[in-house]
Amino acid sequence: MSTPQRTCRREYRQRVDGGTPFSSDRHRALRAVIDALRRHPVVTAARGQPPSTFTEVSATLAPHRWGYDTADATLRVTWQPLDQPEFAFHYSEDSFDCGWHREPNPHVDGDAHYQERVGTDEYRYEPIRFDGETAPELTWEVMERLRKRLDGR
């Protein structure tokens, strides 16, 4: 007699406050991203949204502190607390748009990649490797990579 095959899936029970351990883990990781961003000298503001249980972080940046000339710049961060966390750090300004991601993407081999807008609706992708493991380490790593990208423009 054969045993039925089991699928390996996380099951999250709804908590009394309406959340799940998944949403609590994501909130905790994004809270660590906010704390790291608030300590960075180029960040002027960082906040989680929605206020109750964060699903993303928005930050306002001042790249002129790096000597890069732009009026307005933002960084948007999303985080999925899986066994191998999936995340996106996406930078935007009027004339430039790029991001560092670890999530499945059909345009690159592997999950970790850098993407940069090269046209109105088109991105260029390149596979990368992250050194950091925690949300704060990855935040500082991405901010350093951003500084280098902007320095090269």
Side-chain angles (χ1 to χ4, degrees):
M1 175 178 251
S2 67
T3 56
Q5 219 174 2
R6 290 180 155 190
T7 57
C8 218
R9 224 176 81 190
R10 283 188 178 175
E11 301 240 355
Y12 293 106
R13 291 196 328 239
Q14 190 97 6
R15 293 188 333 217
V16 175
D17 65 1
T20 64
F22 182 88
S23 59
S24 295
D25 290 349
R26 177 175 45 208
H27 182 87
R28 196 171 14 266
L30 290 172
R31 165 62 45 211
V33 168
I34 291 169
D35 292 344
L37 286 171
R38 287 182 175 163
R39 288 191 299 276
H40 197 282
V42 170
V43 176
T44 60
R47 64 196 159 286
Q49 298 168 358
S52 58
T53 302
F54 305 154
T55 58
E56 69 178 54
V57 169
S58 297
T60 305
L61 309 181
H64 67 272
R65 294 177 182 172
W66 281 330
Y68 180 73
D69 187 28
T70 188
D72 296 311
T74 60
L75 184 71
R76 180 177 170 266
V77 182
T78 59
W79 192 278
Q80 302 301 322
L82 306 172
D83 291 336
Q84 167 91 355
E86 293 179 1
F87 53 82
F89 288 79
H90 206 88
Y91 173 84
S92 296
E93 61 171 75
D94 288 338
S95 63
F96 187 56
D97 176 343
C98 69
W100 291 264
H101 301 241
R102 185 166 64 202
E103 59 192 6
N105 185 309
H107 302 288
V108 292
D109 291 332
D111 292 341
H113 63 278
Y114 169 77
Q115 65 185 54
E116 183 175 315
R117 188 178 299 276
V118 292
T120 50
D121 294 327
E122 195 175 323
Y123 280 95
R124 176 178 53 82
Y125 299 88
E126 59 188 67
I128 59 171
R129 190 176 82 69
F130 290 102
D131 295 323
E133 295 179 11
T134 66
E137 290 170 344
L138 289 160
T139 300
W140 283 91
E141 180 178 344
V142 167
M143 292 303 288
E144 180 59 18
R145 288 177 184 224
L146 175 60
R147 182 191 65 77
K148 289 178 180 175
R149 286 284 175 169
L150 295 179
D151 198 33
R153 286 185 49 82

